[in-house]
């Protein structure tokens, strides 16, 4: 015998319709659960604005990736037409000046934010056990980020770009043992020319972004696995006995009354 279902309110029906695509996806892939696991997690109660610097760096990287893809649609990595294509992007393409400006200035913002984030991690002592590996990954990200800047600088192929790259490659050449080899690999031959530009372009828009994305994935995995560090001034993290987990703000924390030792009577 069929059992009649109780009538559902209109609001519930609308909710079910709106959530249907998500339920469909979740049932077949578990992706919604995975995103929830990634985004909704407990962090220490005394987490503060300094801990948003990592996310700010991530946002800067994403802006670089998106604007870079758009620029790559119009840029030509050839010494005879590279500069012209840059002029075309700036003067003719709709909002090209904005996308190019965002990419050019965004590069500096990305590097500066990385340094600010690194300083936060250092000053909070967040590089210590068990987060040493994430610090090492961070150092690699910093190096790759700066290499992005170096390889991108040549792409406009104007006088500043050319001579800055000459200086950069020659500096590398003075390094011990692998120096001359490194500068020859970067040049793609004995002189800076078409091969250098093609090489820098490929490294700038394929090799380095792929490596950075992989490392960011690992970096975030470790942040999720190990959790976020409390600030060094955190009384809770220092194990202050009068502050219980999930306890509401106490007068003692605001410095209004003397803390009462656990189990001891108040004076
Ligand atoms: C592409 C560059 C980078 C991105 C997108 C990035 C992103 C993040 C994010 C989102 C977090 C968690 C939130 C936070 O603590 O701010 C984090 C934590 C961390 N990052 Fe980075 N980061 C980058 C570069 C670096 C660098 C250069 C270092 C150091 C050399 C570093 C070391 C760490 C460490 C040790 C943590 C764990 C901190 C904690 O648990 O409190 N990161 N990163």
């Amino acid at each position: 015998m069929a059992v009649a279902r109780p009538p559902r309110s209109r609001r519930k029906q609308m909710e079910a319709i709106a959530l249907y695509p998500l339920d469909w996806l979740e049932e077949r892939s578990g992706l919604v659960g995975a995103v929830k696991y990634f985004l909704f997690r407990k962090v220490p109660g005394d987490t503060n604005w300094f801990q948003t610097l990592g996310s700010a760096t991530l946002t800067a990287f994403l802006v670089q990736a998106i604007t870079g893809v758009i620029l790559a649609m119009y840029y030509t990595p050839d010494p005879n037409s590279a500069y012209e294509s840059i002029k075309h992007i700036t003067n003719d393409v709709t909002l090209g000046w904005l996308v190019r400006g965002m990419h050019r200035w965004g590069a500096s913002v990305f590097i500066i934010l990385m340094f600010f984030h690194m300083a936060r991690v250092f000053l909070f002592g967040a590089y210590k056990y068990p987060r040493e590996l994430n610090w090492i990954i961070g150092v690699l990200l910093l190096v790759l980020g700066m290499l992005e800047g170096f390889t991108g600088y040549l792409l406009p192929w104007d006088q500043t770009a050319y001579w800055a790259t000459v200086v950069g490659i020659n500096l590398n050449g003075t390094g011990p043992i692998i120096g001359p080899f490194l500068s020859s690999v970067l040049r793609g031959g004995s002189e800076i020319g078409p091969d250098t530009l093609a090489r820098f372009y490929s490294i700038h828009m394929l090799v380095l972004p792929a490596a950075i994305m992989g490392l960011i994935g690992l970096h975030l995995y470790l942040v999720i696995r190990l959790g976020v560090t409390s600030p060094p001034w955190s009384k809770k993290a220092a194990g202050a006995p009068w502050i219980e987990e999930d306890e509401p703000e106490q007068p003692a924390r605001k410095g209004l009354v003397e803390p009462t030792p656990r189990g001891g009577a108040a004076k």
Side-chain angles (χ1 to χ4, degrees), residues 7-227:
R8 284 206 284 181
S9 72
R10 197 165 168 70
R11 186 159 169 256
K12 284 242 163 72
Q13 275 176 0
M14 296 305 286
E15 263 176 27
I17 293 171
L19 290 178
Y20 179 78
L22 285 183
D23 289 342
W24 187 92
L25 192 68
E26 172 65 0
E27 214 173 314
R28 282 154 188 85
S29 65
L31 267 179
V32 180
V35 171
K36 274 189 188 159
Y37 172 78
F38 178 68
L39 291 179
F40 299 98
R41 48 189 50 260
K42 286 192 171 178
V43 293
D46 36 22
T47 300
N48 62 37
W49 280 96
F50 290 117
Q51 271 137 325
T52 58
L53 284 168
S55 309
T57 315
L58 181 62
T59 309
F61 175 74
L62 291 178
V63 169
Q64 289 308 98
I66 294 165
T67 49
V69 168
I70 299 172
L71 290 176
M73 292 173 187
Y74 299 96
Y75 174 75
T76 34
D78 169 59
N80 295 322
S81 44
Y83 187 64
E84 285 308 311
S85 71
I86 293 275
K87 277 209 309 202
H88 171 63
I89 292 171
T90 314
N91 301 326
D92 309 326
V93 175
T94 313
L95 294 182
W97 57 273
L98 181 66
V99 176
R100 182 174 172 226
M102 283 174 76
H103 197 75
R104 200 178 169 83
W105 290 100
S108 304
V109 172
F110 174 54
I111 301 283
I112 291 169
L113 280 174
M114 245 193 306
F115 272 105
F116 277 152
H117 169 56
M118 190 170 74
R120 192 291 286 175
V121 169
F122 180 73
L123 294 173
F124 277 31
Y127 57 87
K128 294 180 191 167
Y129 175 84
R131 297 184 178 79
E132 304 95 319
L133 184 58
N134 223 11
W135 175 267
I136 294 169
I137 293 173
V139 172
L140 290 177
L141 279 168
L142 187 67
V143 172
L144 295 186
M146 290 202 283
L147 272 176
E148 273 287 33
F150 179 59
T151 49
Y153 205 79
L154 177 67
L155 302 184
W157 201 255
D158 53 10
Q159 287 292 322
T160 327
Y162 181 87
W163 291 107
T165 306
V166 169
V167 172
I169 290 182
N170 288 347
L171 270 177
N172 275 287
T174 60
I177 305 167
I178 59 160
F181 169 75
L182 199 63
S183 66
S184 153
V185 169
L186 284 171
R187 262 195 312 263
S190 55
E191 292 208 349
I192 294 181
D195 287 347
T196 323
L197 186 57
R199 191 162 289 217
F200 270 46
Y201 184 51
S202 146
I203 296 174
H204 182 76
M205 56 93 76
L206 292 171
V207 181
L208 292 174
I212 291 179
M213 279 178 205
L215 285 176
I216 288 180
L218 260 176
H219 198 62
L220 295 185
Y221 164 73
L222 287 180
V223 170
I224 289 170
R225 186 179 159 81
L226 302 172

